Amino acid sequence: MNESSIFTLERGGAPLLISIPHRGTSIPCALADEMTPIAKLTEDCDWHLERLYAFARELGASILTPQYARYVVDLNRPPDDANLYPGRDTTGLCPVDTFDKAPLYKPGHEPSREQIDARRAMYWQPYHDALASELDALRASHGRVLLWEAHSIRSVVPRFFDGRLTDFNFGTADGASAAPGLAEYLAGIVERDGRFSTVANGRFKGGYITRRYGEPEKGVHAVQLELTQISYMEESSPFAYDEAKATAIQPLLRELLISAMTYATAA
Ligand SMILES: [Zn+2]
């Protein structure tokens, strides 16, 4: 295990890296003083994904998780903070409000350009350096590698989408970040399972990490799974893990990971 105060990287032997960039919940003390009480609850976290995906260690997956919350700096946003979904509302590199638009900072304490630059250097860059070097190492060993961007979100967030979100949202940047047909292939597996709704490159097409690192022509195949949290946990505070739901969904996640890895490394 490679551990810093910024991230944890557990290294496995398979051509599979699972990145969970929104799993962090820590907020540095000095920054917490500038923030509102609701910010410290980190409600927009991709809760419990390290637990839901714990089985992937047996598959030989490497697993990368950050320490700090997306409210400090969002690891799945580009360093220049360009909007990944032009024309749609989104949260930025250093968000100033929650998904429900509650302010994260006390009035007048929103981060300055200099503070954003400092956070990018301190928290964003080390995660990306670790991600890039692990992909390089796995590609050197195996020739091809699957990057699985693991995300989850509440099933109802009016700011981002109408109604209830599809459960399994596979994103490959409209096919650019992985072997042709991979997202549709994975959605087909969920359809055959029959218990959950699914879509390929729908509302969520993959964020910055999927788009930046997915280079199928160079052997790196990136796919993002945005999963509804209602599929494995309670969506309201205290955001409890639902052991029964999680145990029921894990065999499907396992099939998806194995199938995606096989598909990507054969491409
Ligand atoms: Zn996420």
Side-chain angles (χ1 to χ4, degrees):
M1 188 183 298
N2 183 345
E3 197 161 358
S4 73
S5 61
I6 308 296
F7 62 84
T8 300
L9 174 63
E10 293 179 64
R11 305 190 68 184
L16 171 60
L17 172 59
I18 299 175
S19 155
I20 316 178
H22 293 149
R23 180 61 190 100
T25 53
S26 296
I27 294 177
C29 290
L31 178 51
D33 289 344
E34 318 264 313
M35 298 181 109
T36 55
I38 200 168
K40 294 162 202 171
L41 302 177
T42 66
E43 291 190 339
D44 301 329
C45 173
D46 293 4
W47 295 105
H48 305 301
L49 286 183
E50 82 296 346
R51 188 170 171 188
L52 186 66
Y53 281 97
F55 69 87
R57 292 186 183 89
E58 297 159 22
L59 305 179
S62 296
I63 304 176
L64 179 63
T65 48
Q67 177 70 32
Y68 289 94
R70 70 186 300 158
Y71 295 165
V72 178
V73 66
D74 191 330
L75 300 167
N76 200 28
R77 294 293 180 274
D80 67 358
D81 206 12
N83 188 340
L84 294 166
Y85 295 96
R88 281 186 182 267
D89 195 1
T90 187
T91 52
L93 184 65
C94 292
V96 294
D97 55 7
T98 67
F99 289 174
D100 295 330
K101 296 199 171 187
L104 292 175
Y105 292 88
K106 295 171 182 169
H109 289 258
E110 290 83 5
S112 65
R113 173 47 58 190
E114 290 72 25
Q115 287 170 321
I116 292 171
D117 289 346
R119 286 189 216 173
R120 188 173 55 226
M122 185 170 293
Y123 305 105
W124 189 97
Q125 195 64 53
Y127 188 89
H128 281 265
D129 289 346
L131 182 56
S133 65
E134 184 63 10
L135 284 177
D136 282 348
L138 292 172
R139 191 168 46 171
S141 299
H142 300 281
R144 299 185 180 94
V145 58
L146 175 71
L147 169 60
W148 186 272
E149 262 286 292
H151 291 261
S152 70
I153 192 168
R154 297 194 311 259
S155 59
V156 177
V157 186
R159 179 176 184 176
F160 299 141
F161 45 84
D162 295 331
R164 186 198 184 285
L165 185 66
T166 302
D167 290 316
F168 282 74
N169 300 264
F170 296 102
T172 54
D174 285 328
S177 71
L182 176 58
E184 292 76 11
Y185 171 67
L186 296 173
I189 291 170
V190 177
E191 272 168 19
R192 278 196 297 283
D193 177 85
R195 293 177 292 162
F196 301 94
S197 55
T198 185
V199 66
N201 290 305
R203 168 65 184 88
F204 293 96
K205 299 175 187 297
Y208 174 72
I209 291 173
T210 305
R211 301 182 201 186
R212 164 66 183 81
Y213 295 96
E215 294 183 287
E217 66 285 354
K218 294 183 181 172
V220 179
H221 300 262
V223 58
Q224 174 176 299
L225 171 57
E226 186 75 78
L227 182 66
T228 54
Q229 293 179 337
I230 203 170
S231 303
Y232 70 95
M233 60 173 276
E234 299 300 325
E235 292 192 329
S236 54
S237 182
F239 305 106
Y241 189 74
D242 187 323
E243 189 74 51
K245 281 185 174 179
T247 301
I249 204 173
Q250 280 169 327
L252 177 57
L253 287 171
R254 182 187 180 92
E255 182 183 357
L256 289 165
L257 283 179
I258 293 170
S259 301
M261 188 164 42
T262 304
Y263 192 103
T265 54

